[in-house]
Amino acid sequence: MDITRRKFCRVSFLGALGLIFMPRKALASSGDETRLSGRCIVEVLRCQCFSDLQGRYLDDPEAGPCSHFHVGDKIEITPDNLQALKKSGRICRQAWHTLEPYIMAALAAGSTSECAPAQNISQAIVSCPDGTRPVIFKVTAA
């Protein structure tokens, strides 16, 4: 690997670490949400349940599939309802932490600010991290 590429990789890695370890309050207070002008739709594609894993590893072996979502559910997200949706509990905390980067990218894609993504990403397929009852989402920039 040549020296220029090695330096680029090192700088990129350190920059990514800075974003990962930056406190959420600092990110939230930076005013980024005021520049968002798009909207996105989160749709539930699948709700799966692995009862064999639930029986083996969960305190409640009869937990069943996720109770927050059902196949076909659609949630429209705009900058106006973003904070209310976060606080409402409509999307569980695990799913929200997984979906948030994709939602923010979709909302920023409709923005005309300089910080909008360089590549127009119109949809993403995202999975909830719950291993015994994952939910598969489609996030679409509208």
Side-chain angles (χ1 to χ4, degrees):
M1 186 180 328
D2 66 353
I3 191 75
T4 306
R5 184 172 175 180
R6 194 175 307 153
K7 184 178 179 182
F8 173 77
C9 290
R10 186 179 305 136
V11 170
S12 298
F13 176 73
L14 293 174
L17 280 178
L19 288 177
I20 290 171
F21 293 112
M22 183 180 288
R24 285 193 176 271
K25 285 188 177 184
L27 286 173
S29 65
S30 65
D32 290 340
E33 292 179 6
T34 60
R35 289 184 272 163
L36 302 175
S37 65
R39 73 182 185 102
C40 74
I41 297 177
V42 176
E43 181 179 357
V44 177
L45 298 178
R46 287 190 186 159
C47 293
Q48 297 186 316
C49 179
F50 301 110
S51 39
D52 59 326
L53 294 175
Q54 285 182 350
R56 193 176 308 158
Y57 297 108
L58 295 186
D59 290 339
D60 181 9
E62 303 295 322
C66 178
S67 60
H68 279 86
F69 302 103
H70 303 286
V71 174
D73 285 354
K74 289 185 180 182
I75 304 168
E76 183 177 344
I77 301 174
T78 63
D80 298 332
N81 71 359
L82 183 64
Q83 290 301 322
L85 188 63
K86 275 184 185 180
K87 294 176 184 176
S88 72
R90 170 70 177 99
I91 299 177
C92 69
R93 191 172 16 168
Q94 280 186 318
W96 181 260
H97 286 302
T98 302
L99 289 168
E100 186 175 27
Y102 298 95
I103 290 170
M104 297 306 280
L107 293 177
S111 171
T112 57
S113 74
E114 295 174 17
C115 296
Q119 186 178 16
N120 186 10
I121 300 170
S122 62
Q123 80 178 18
I125 306 299
V126 184
S127 175
C128 173
D130 188 335
T132 65
R133 52 185 171 199
V135 178
I136 312 298
F137 300 97
K138 179 173 76 170
V139 180
T140 307

